[in-house]
Amino acid sequence: MNFLDHVEDLRWHIIRSAIAILVGAIAVFCKVEWIFDRIIMGPAHADFVSYKWFCALGRLVHYDAFCLGQVNMKFQNTAVTGQFMMSLSISLLLGFILAFPFVLWELWKFIKPALKPSEVKMAKGIVFWCSLLFFTGVFFSYFIVAPYAINFFGNYQLSPSVQNIVTLDNYFDMISTLVLALGVVFEMPILVLFLTRIGIFTPQMLRKNRRYAFIILFILSEIITPPDLFSCLLVFIPLYILYEITIVLGTRTLKAKQKREAQKDIE
C-alpha cells in the first residue's frame, strides 16, 4: 500500500477502537452512580476490602501499623457542571480500560503486516500478555497503592484545626493517574522481551546494568506515586521483580534462538 492507503487503514483502526471505548463508556455511564460510590470512592471508605487485607496481614506479622484507620477526608464539588463532567470522565476512563484488549488488538492488526514472518512468530500471544500485564498493573494500583496513598494523605494533618476537604477532580486525577500509569508501566517486560528477541537488548546487558535500572525504576516509581516513601516502594518492588523476570525470560529466549540457529547450521 502507498502512504495514503496506510493512513486510511490506520483511520479505520482508530475508528473501531474509539467505538469500542465509546460502547464501554456508555455501559459504565448507565451505572455510573453505583460505580462512583462503590469503585471510584471505594478506597476512601473505611470498609474497603484492601483495608481488611492490610489488617489481616498486620495480624499475621504482628505489626498493627498495617491496620489503617478511617479516612478523614471530605469531598466537595466546586463547579456547576462538576459532577456531570466527573461522570463522563469516569465513563471514559473505565470504557478505555474495558476496551484495552480490543484497542491493543486493533493496533496489532495495523502493525502486523509490516513485520517479517519471523518477527510475527516472536510476537505470538502479545495481545494476551500485554492485556494481562495491563490489568495486573491496574488492579495492583487500585487495590494496593491507591488505598494506602489515600489513607496516608487523607489522615495527614499539619494542625487539628485544618480539615482535608478535597475536590472531586483532585481525587479522581490521583486515582486515574495511578491506575493508568501502573497499567502502562507493567507492560515493561513485554517491551524489553521483544527488544531482546530482535537483538537490541541482551540478558547480559540487562544484568550488567542492574544498578542503573535500579535507579531508573526507583525514580519512575517516585514520579508516578504520591510523594511518600512507602507508596514509592509499593510500586518499585514489583517493577524490579518484573525486571528480574524479564532477564530470566530473555535468557530462555536467547538460548532457544541459539538452539534454532545451531539446528539450521547442522541441516
Side-chain angles (χ1 to χ4, degrees):
M1 293 190 295
N2 59 36
F3 176 75
L4 292 179
D5 289 334
H6 280 296
V7 172
E8 179 67 14
D9 187 42
L10 176 61
R11 185 172 74 90
W12 281 107
H13 286 298
I14 293 174
I15 289 174
R16 287 192 292 269
S17 298
I19 291 173
I21 294 172
L22 183 60
V23 170
I26 292 173
V28 171
F29 189 80
C30 292
K31 292 290 184 180
V32 70
E33 293 87 357
W34 184 91
I35 290 172
F36 174 76
D37 187 57
R38 298 297 182 90
I39 297 178
I40 303 300
M41 298 299 294
H45 296 158
D47 60 350
F48 188 58
V49 64
S50 294
Y51 297 137
K52 298 177 182 178
W53 295 344
F54 293 157
C55 276
L57 178 61
R59 287 191 295 268
L60 182 65
V61 299
H62 304 289
Y63 187 64
D64 294 337
F66 278 140
C67 280
L68 304 177
Q70 175 73 38
V71 180
N72 295 318
M73 184 185 294
K74 295 182 179 180
F75 299 92
Q76 65 176 350
N77 172 49
T78 58
V80 174
T81 60
Q83 295 197 52
F84 177 74
M85 296 305 297
M86 178 59 60
S87 66
L88 295 181
S89 297
I90 292 170
S91 299
L92 287 174
L93 173 67
L94 295 184
F96 171 76
I97 292 174
L98 292 174
F100 181 81
F102 182 82
V103 173
L104 198 61
W105 172 250
E106 287 292 336
L107 177 63
W108 169 243
K109 285 199 299 183
F110 175 72
I111 295 174
K112 185 178 177 180
L115 301 178
K116 298 177 182 178
S118 59
E119 292 172 337
V120 173
K121 186 177 180 181
M122 285 189 290
K124 185 178 180 180
I126 191 170
V127 173
F128 170 79
W129 291 111
C130 283
S131 299
L132 179 63
L133 286 172
F134 176 79
F135 286 121
T136 300
V138 167
F139 286 124
F140 178 79
S141 174
Y142 178 73
F143 286 106
I144 304 298
V145 180
Y148 177 83
I150 290 169
N151 192 278
F152 175 83
F153 290 111
N155 292 325
Y156 184 85
Q157 287 182 297
L158 288 173
S159 169
S161 62
V162 180
Q163 290 185 327
N164 288 322
I165 302 177
V166 183
T167 64
L168 290 178
D169 287 342
N170 183 260
Y171 174 83
F172 179 73
D173 286 346
M174 179 179 175
I175 292 288
S176 59
T177 299
L178 282 173
V179 166
L180 291 179
L182 277 179
V184 172
V185 169
F186 266 56
E187 302 285 356
M188 180 187 67
I190 295 295
L191 175 62
V192 176
L193 185 59
F194 180 73
L195 294 176
T196 300
R197 285 183 171 183
I198 63 178
I200 295 178
F201 287 168
T202 64
Q204 293 79 7
M205 183 190 302
L206 297 177
R207 291 193 190 96
K208 184 179 179 180
N209 292 285
R210 266 195 181 101
R211 67 184 70 178
Y212 303 113
F214 188 95
I215 296 172
I216 292 172
L217 291 176
F218 190 85
I219 293 174
L220 181 62
S221 302
E222 186 66 36
I223 291 173
I224 64 178
T225 58
D228 70 286
L229 181 60
F230 192 76
S231 295
C232 178
L233 291 177
L234 280 176
V235 173
F236 169 76
I237 291 173
L239 287 183
Y240 188 76
I241 291 173
L242 288 174
Y243 182 83
E244 293 295 337
I245 291 174
T246 302
I247 293 177
V248 174
L249 294 176
T251 301
R252 292 182 178 180
T253 299
L254 186 60
K255 288 181 178 179
K257 182 179 179 181
Q258 292 172 346
K259 185 177 179 180
R260 288 194 300 268
E261 291 175 351
Q263 289 176 346
K264 288 181 180 179
D265 292 338
I266 293 173
E267 294 173 358

